[in-house]
Amino acid sequence: MQLKCSFCSTPFSLSKEQVNEALEAFKADKTAHYDAYCPKCRRAIKVTRRHFQMSPIHRRMLNFG
Ligand SMILES: [Zn+2]
């Protein structure tokens, strides 16, 4: 999953493991968020369920995973 740091605008991606971790959090709690850390400035970027819903592949994972 592609993300963009909201502090320094560095694009980075979540690993499969991180995506799975986030999915688990969203399944347990729909309002949960997952903290992804920017590789450049190391600040936490909030990944929400909405990020997953914007991508057809990840939306499917939310519903059927
Ligand atoms: Zn950053």
Side-chain angles (χ1 to χ4, degrees), residues 15-37:
S15 70
K16 224 176 183 177
E17 287 75 23
Q18 288 175 307
V19 167
N20 284 335
E21 264 183 67
L23 275 172
E24 288 307 311
F26 299 147
K27 277 182 210 160
D29 178 2
K30 283 183 180 181
T31 61
H33 71 270
Y34 179 79
D35 283 331
Y37 291 89

PDB file of all heavy atoms in Angstrom, residues 15-37:
ATOM      1  N   SER A  15       4.520  -2.666   4.196  1.00  0.00           N
ATOM      2  CA  SER A  15       4.810  -4.060   3.858  1.00  0.00           C
ATOM      3  C   SER A  15       3.549  -4.894   4.045  1.00  0.00           C
ATOM      4  O   SER A  15       2.582  -4.448   4.658  1.00  0.00           O
ATOM      5  CB  SER A  15       5.918  -4.595   4.759  1.00  0.00           C
ATOM      6  OG  SER A  15       5.414  -4.737   6.074  1.00  0.00           O
ATOM      7  N   LYS A  16       3.581  -6.094   3.513  1.00  0.00           N
ATOM      8  CA  LYS A  16       2.452  -7.008   3.643  1.00  0.00           C
ATOM      9  C   LYS A  16       2.117  -7.240   5.120  1.00  0.00           C
ATOM     10  O   LYS A  16       0.963  -7.300   5.504  1.00  0.00           O
ATOM     11  CB  LYS A  16       2.830  -8.352   3.004  1.00  0.00           C
ATOM     12  CG  LYS A  16       1.734  -8.930   2.137  1.00  0.00           C
ATOM     13  CD  LYS A  16       2.229 -10.194   1.489  1.00  0.00           C
ATOM     14  CE  LYS A  16       1.161 -10.760   0.555  1.00  0.00           C
ATOM     15  NZ  LYS A  16       1.649 -11.938  -0.144  1.00  0.00           N
ATOM     16  N   GLU A  17       3.165  -7.361   5.934  1.00  0.00           N
ATOM     17  CA  GLU A  17       2.980  -7.604   7.362  1.00  0.00           C
ATOM     18  C   GLU A  17       2.280  -6.415   8.019  1.00  0.00           C
ATOM     19  O   GLU A  17       1.402  -6.579   8.862  1.00  0.00           O
ATOM     20  CB  GLU A  17       4.329  -7.838   8.060  1.00  0.00           C
ATOM     21  CG  GLU A  17       4.966  -9.181   7.761  1.00  0.00           C
ATOM     22  CD  GLU A  17       5.573  -9.260   6.355  1.00  0.00           C
ATOM     23  OE1 GLU A  17       5.890  -8.202   5.768  1.00  0.00           O
ATOM     24  OE2 GLU A  17       5.706 -10.382   5.838  1.00  0.00           O
ATOM     25  N   GLN A  18       2.691  -5.216   7.629  1.00  0.00           N
ATOM     26  CA  GLN A  18       2.085  -4.015   8.197  1.00  0.00           C
ATOM     27  C   GLN A  18       0.626  -3.878   7.769  1.00  0.00           C
ATOM     28  O   GLN A  18      -0.221  -3.489   8.559  1.00  0.00           O
ATOM     29  CB  GLN A  18       2.882  -2.782   7.779  1.00  0.00           C
ATOM     30  CG  GLN A  18       4.232  -2.697   8.476  1.00  0.00           C
ATOM     31  CD  GLN A  18       5.054  -1.536   7.945  1.00  0.00           C
ATOM     32  OE1 GLN A  18       5.263  -1.408   6.744  1.00  0.00           O
ATOM     33  NE2 GLN A  18       5.519  -0.692   8.838  1.00  0.00           N
ATOM     34  N   VAL A  19       0.363  -4.226   6.502  1.00  0.00           N
ATOM     35  CA  VAL A  19      -1.012  -4.188   5.999  1.00  0.00           C
ATOM     36  C   VAL A  19      -1.869  -5.164   6.801  1.00  0.00           C
ATOM     37  O   VAL A  19      -2.981  -4.834   7.223  1.00  0.00           O
ATOM     38  CB  VAL A  19      -1.055  -4.522   4.487  1.00  0.00           C
ATOM     39  CG1 VAL A  19      -2.478  -4.811   4.020  1.00  0.00           C
ATOM     40  CG2 VAL A  19      -0.468  -3.379   3.673  1.00  0.00           C
ATOM     41  N   ASN A  20      -1.327  -6.345   7.065  1.00  0.00           N
ATOM     42  CA  ASN A  20      -2.065  -7.336   7.842  1.00  0.00           C
ATOM     43  C   ASN A  20      -2.323  -6.864   9.273  1.00  0.00           C
ATOM     44  O   ASN A  20      -3.409  -7.066   9.805  1.00  0.00           O
ATOM     45  CB  ASN A  20      -1.305  -8.674   7.871  1.00  0.00           C
ATOM     46  CG  ASN A  20      -1.456  -9.408   6.554  1.00  0.00           C
ATOM     47  OD1 ASN A  20      -2.430  -9.213   5.825  1.00  0.00           O
ATOM     48  ND2 ASN A  20      -0.502 -10.260   6.241  1.00  0.00           N
ATOM     49  N   GLU A  21      -1.331  -6.240   9.858  1.00  0.00           N
ATOM     50  CA  GLU A  21      -1.489  -5.702  11.212  1.00  0.00           C
ATOM     51  C   GLU A  21      -2.604  -4.667  11.253  1.00  0.00           C
ATOM     52  O   GLU A  21      -3.441  -4.662  12.151  1.00  0.00           O
ATOM     53  CB  GLU A  21      -0.192  -5.021  11.656  1.00  0.00           C
ATOM     54  CG  GLU A  21       0.725  -5.885  12.492  1.00  0.00           C
ATOM     55  CD  GLU A  21       1.940  -5.096  12.935  1.00  0.00           C
ATOM     56  OE1 GLU A  21       1.781  -4.151  13.733  1.00  0.00           O
ATOM     57  OE2 GLU A  21       3.048  -5.412  12.451  1.00  0.00           O
ATOM     58  N   ALA A  22      -2.598  -3.796  10.261  1.00  0.00           N
ATOM     59  CA  ALA A  22      -3.614  -2.759  10.183  1.00  0.00           C
ATOM     60  C   ALA A  22      -4.993  -3.386   9.994  1.00  0.00           C
ATOM     61  O   ALA A  22      -5.963  -2.982  10.645  1.00  0.00           O
ATOM     62  CB  ALA A  22      -3.302  -1.803   9.034  1.00  0.00           C
ATOM     63  N   LEU A  23      -5.083  -4.384   9.124  1.00  0.00           N
ATOM     64  CA  LEU A  23      -6.352  -5.070   8.882  1.00  0.00           C
ATOM     65  C   LEU A  23      -6.912  -5.666  10.167  1.00  0.00           C
ATOM     66  O   LEU A  23      -8.110  -5.555  10.438  1.00  0.00           O
ATOM     67  CB  LEU A  23      -6.152  -6.191   7.856  1.00  0.00           C
ATOM     68  CG  LEU A  23      -6.230  -5.799   6.385  1.00  0.00           C
ATOM     69  CD1 LEU A  23      -5.828  -6.978   5.514  1.00  0.00           C
ATOM     70  CD2 LEU A  23      -7.609  -5.305   6.001  1.00  0.00           C
ATOM     71  N   GLU A  24      -6.036  -6.292  10.940  1.00  0.00           N
ATOM     72  CA  GLU A  24      -6.465  -6.892  12.205  1.00  0.00           C
ATOM     73  C   GLU A  24      -7.040  -5.821  13.131  1.00  0.00           C
ATOM     74  O   GLU A  24      -8.051  -6.042  13.783  1.00  0.00           O
ATOM     75  CB  GLU A  24      -5.290  -7.601  12.895  1.00  0.00           C
ATOM     76  CG  GLU A  24      -4.853  -8.887  12.214  1.00  0.00           C
ATOM     77  CD  GLU A  24      -6.010  -9.862  11.996  1.00  0.00           C
ATOM     78  OE1 GLU A  24      -6.763 -10.106  12.967  1.00  0.00           O
ATOM     79  OE2 GLU A  24      -6.160 -10.355  10.870  1.00  0.00           O
ATOM     80  N   ALA A  25      -6.383  -4.682  13.172  1.00  0.00           N
ATOM     81  CA  ALA A  25      -6.848  -3.590  14.029  1.00  0.00           C
ATOM     82  C   ALA A  25      -8.227  -3.096  13.580  1.00  0.00           C
ATOM     83  O   ALA A  25      -9.106  -2.848  14.399  1.00  0.00           O
ATOM     84  CB  ALA A  25      -5.849  -2.443  14.005  1.00  0.00           C
ATOM     85  N   PHE A  26      -8.420  -2.980  12.259  1.00  0.00           N
ATOM     86  CA  PHE A  26      -9.699  -2.476  11.737  1.00  0.00           C
ATOM     87  C   PHE A  26     -10.820  -3.487  11.923  1.00  0.00           C
ATOM     88  O   PHE A  26     -11.979  -3.120  12.091  1.00  0.00           O
ATOM     89  CB  PHE A  26      -9.582  -2.125  10.249  1.00  0.00           C
ATOM     90  CG  PHE A  26      -8.564  -1.053   9.968  1.00  0.00           C
ATOM     91  CD1 PHE A  26      -7.837  -1.062   8.794  1.00  0.00           C
ATOM     92  CD2 PHE A  26      -8.347  -0.030  10.871  1.00  0.00           C
ATOM     93  CE1 PHE A  26      -6.893  -0.086   8.529  1.00  0.00           C
ATOM     94  CE2 PHE A  26      -7.402   0.954  10.621  1.00  0.00           C
ATOM     95  CZ  PHE A  26      -6.670   0.925   9.442  1.00  0.00           C
ATOM     96  N   LYS A  27     -10.462  -4.774  11.888  1.00  0.00           N
ATOM     97  CA  LYS A  27     -11.500  -5.787  12.086  1.00  0.00           C
ATOM     98  C   LYS A  27     -11.979  -5.776  13.529  1.00  0.00           C
ATOM     99  O   LYS A  27     -13.149  -6.003  13.808  1.00  0.00           O
ATOM    100  CB  LYS A  27     -10.955  -7.173  11.728  1.00  0.00           C
ATOM    101  CG  LYS A  27     -11.023  -7.443  10.240  1.00  0.00           C
ATOM    102  CD  LYS A  27     -10.532  -8.833   9.943  1.00  0.00           C
ATOM    103  CE  LYS A  27      -9.905  -8.888   8.570  1.00  0.00           C
ATOM    104  NZ  LYS A  27      -9.021 -10.055   8.438  1.00  0.00           N
ATOM    105  N   ALA A  28     -11.053  -5.510  14.440  1.00  0.00           N
ATOM    106  CA  ALA A  28     -11.405  -5.479  15.855  1.00  0.00           C
ATOM    107  C   ALA A  28     -12.182  -4.212  16.187  1.00  0.00           C
ATOM    108  O   ALA A  28     -13.086  -4.216  17.011  1.00  0.00           O
ATOM    109  CB  ALA A  28     -10.148  -5.575  16.700  1.00  0.00           C
ATOM    110  N   ASP A  29     -11.829  -3.127  15.522  1.00  0.00           N
ATOM    111  CA  ASP A  29     -12.453  -1.844  15.824  1.00  0.00           C
ATOM    112  C   ASP A  29     -12.460  -0.989  14.550  1.00  0.00           C
ATOM    113  O   ASP A  29     -11.415  -0.612  14.037  1.00  0.00           O
ATOM    114  CB  ASP A  29     -11.657  -1.154  16.939  1.00  0.00           C
ATOM    115  CG  ASP A  29     -12.210   0.224  17.284  1.00  0.00           C
ATOM    116  OD1 ASP A  29     -13.231   0.645  16.698  1.00  0.00           O
ATOM    117  OD2 ASP A  29     -11.612   0.882  18.157  1.00  0.00           O
ATOM    118  N   LYS A  30     -13.661  -0.692  14.069  1.00  0.00           N
ATOM    119  CA  LYS A  30     -13.794   0.040  12.801  1.00  0.00           C
ATOM    120  C   LYS A  30     -13.208   1.442  12.855  1.00  0.00           C
ATOM    121  O   LYS A  30     -12.896   2.033  11.836  1.00  0.00           O
ATOM    122  CB  LYS A  30     -15.272   0.135  12.405  1.00  0.00           C
ATOM    123  CG  LYS A  30     -15.777  -1.163  11.841  1.00  0.00           C
ATOM    124  CD  LYS A  30     -17.213  -1.048  11.371  1.00  0.00           C
ATOM    125  CE  LYS A  30     -17.642  -2.405  10.824  1.00  0.00           C
ATOM    126  NZ  LYS A  30     -18.999  -2.397  10.326  1.00  0.00           N
ATOM    127  N   THR A  31     -13.097   1.984  14.058  1.00  0.00           N
ATOM    128  CA  THR A  31     -12.594   3.357  14.164  1.00  0.00           C
ATOM    129  C   THR A  31     -11.107   3.379  14.513  1.00  0.00           C
ATOM    130  O   THR A  31     -10.542   4.434  14.730  1.00  0.00           O
ATOM    131  CB  THR A  31     -13.385   4.137  15.234  1.00  0.00           C
ATOM    132  OG1 THR A  31     -13.217   3.483  16.485  1.00  0.00           O
ATOM    133  CG2 THR A  31     -14.864   4.200  14.896  1.00  0.00           C
ATOM    134  N   ALA A  32     -10.487   2.206  14.561  1.00  0.00           N
ATOM    135  CA  ALA A  32      -9.068   2.130  14.907  1.00  0.00           C
ATOM    136  C   ALA A  32      -8.218   2.751  13.803  1.00  0.00           C
ATOM    137  O   ALA A  32      -8.661   2.896  12.669  1.00  0.00           O
ATOM    138  CB  ALA A  32      -8.667   0.675  15.109  1.00  0.00           C
ATOM    139  N   HIS A  33      -7.006   3.124  14.155  1.00  0.00           N
ATOM    140  CA  HIS A  33      -6.070   3.541  13.128  1.00  0.00           C
ATOM    141  C   HIS A  33      -4.750   2.822  13.356  1.00  0.00           C
ATOM    142  O   HIS A  33      -4.493   2.286  14.433  1.00  0.00           O
ATOM    143  CB  HIS A  33      -5.882   5.062  13.100  1.00  0.00           C
ATOM    144  CG  HIS A  33      -5.116   5.600  14.269  1.00  0.00           C
ATOM    145  ND1 HIS A  33      -5.744   6.005  15.424  1.00  0.00           N
ATOM    146  CD2 HIS A  33      -3.801   5.783  14.460  1.00  0.00           C
ATOM    147  CE1 HIS A  33      -4.816   6.413  16.285  1.00  0.00           C
ATOM    148  NE2 HIS A  33      -3.620   6.292  15.729  1.00  0.00           N
ATOM    149  N   TYR A  34      -3.948   2.809  12.312  1.00  0.00           N
ATOM    150  CA  TYR A  34      -2.662   2.142  12.386  1.00  0.00           C
ATOM    151  C   TYR A  34      -1.570   3.175  12.185  1.00  0.00           C
ATOM    152  O   TYR A  34      -1.671   4.003  11.281  1.00  0.00           O
ATOM    153  CB  TYR A  34      -2.596   1.063  11.294  1.00  0.00           C
ATOM    154  CG  TYR A  34      -1.286   0.314  11.272  1.00  0.00           C
ATOM    155  CD1 TYR A  34      -1.041  -0.703  12.180  1.00  0.00           C
ATOM    156  CD2 TYR A  34      -0.302   0.642  10.337  1.00  0.00           C
ATOM    157  CE1 TYR A  34       0.163  -1.388  12.166  1.00  0.00           C
ATOM    158  CE2 TYR A  34       0.911  -0.037  10.318  1.00  0.00           C
ATOM    159  CZ  TYR A  34       1.134  -1.054  11.241  1.00  0.00           C
ATOM    160  OH  TYR A  34       2.322  -1.717  11.232  1.00  0.00           O
ATOM    161  N   ASP A  35      -0.557   3.142  13.025  1.00  0.00           N
ATOM    162  CA  ASP A  35       0.542   4.094  12.888  1.00  0.00           C
ATOM    163  C   ASP A  35       1.626   3.532  11.976  1.00  0.00           C
ATOM    164  O   ASP A  35       2.254   2.532  12.295  1.00  0.00           O
ATOM    165  CB  ASP A  35       1.156   4.412  14.249  1.00  0.00           C
ATOM    166  CG  ASP A  35       0.293   5.363  15.053  1.00  0.00           C
ATOM    167  OD1 ASP A  35      -0.433   6.174  14.438  1.00  0.00           O
ATOM    168  OD2 ASP A  35       0.340   5.305  16.289  1.00  0.00           O
ATOM    169  N   ALA A  36       1.806   4.178  10.839  1.00  0.00           N
ATOM    170  CA  ALA A  36       2.899   3.814   9.936  1.00  0.00           C
ATOM    171  C   ALA A  36       3.976   4.875  10.107  1.00  0.00           C
ATOM    172  O   ALA A  36       3.665   6.062  10.186  1.00  0.00           O
ATOM    173  CB  ALA A  36       2.394   3.798   8.504  1.00  0.00           C
ATOM    174  N   TYR A  37       5.226   4.450  10.195  1.00  0.00           N
ATOM    175  CA  TYR A  37       6.288   5.426  10.430  1.00  0.00           C
ATOM    176  C   TYR A  37       7.023   5.783   9.147  1.00  0.00           C
ATOM    177  O   TYR A  37       7.474   4.920   8.403  1.00  0.00           O
ATOM    178  CB  TYR A  37       7.250   4.921  11.515  1.00  0.00           C
ATOM    179  CG  TYR A  37       6.567   4.913  12.864  1.00  0.00           C
ATOM    180  CD1 TYR A  37       5.855   3.795  13.289  1.00  0.00           C
ATOM    181  CD2 TYR A  37       6.574   6.053  13.661  1.00  0.00           C
ATOM    182  CE1 TYR A  37       5.168   3.808  14.508  1.00  0.00           C
ATOM    183  CE2 TYR A  37       5.898   6.071  14.880  1.00  0.00           C
ATOM    184  CZ  TYR A  37       5.200   4.947  15.287  1.00  0.00           C
ATOM    185  OH  TYR A  37       4.515   4.966  16.475  1.00  0.00           O
TER     186      TYR A  37
END
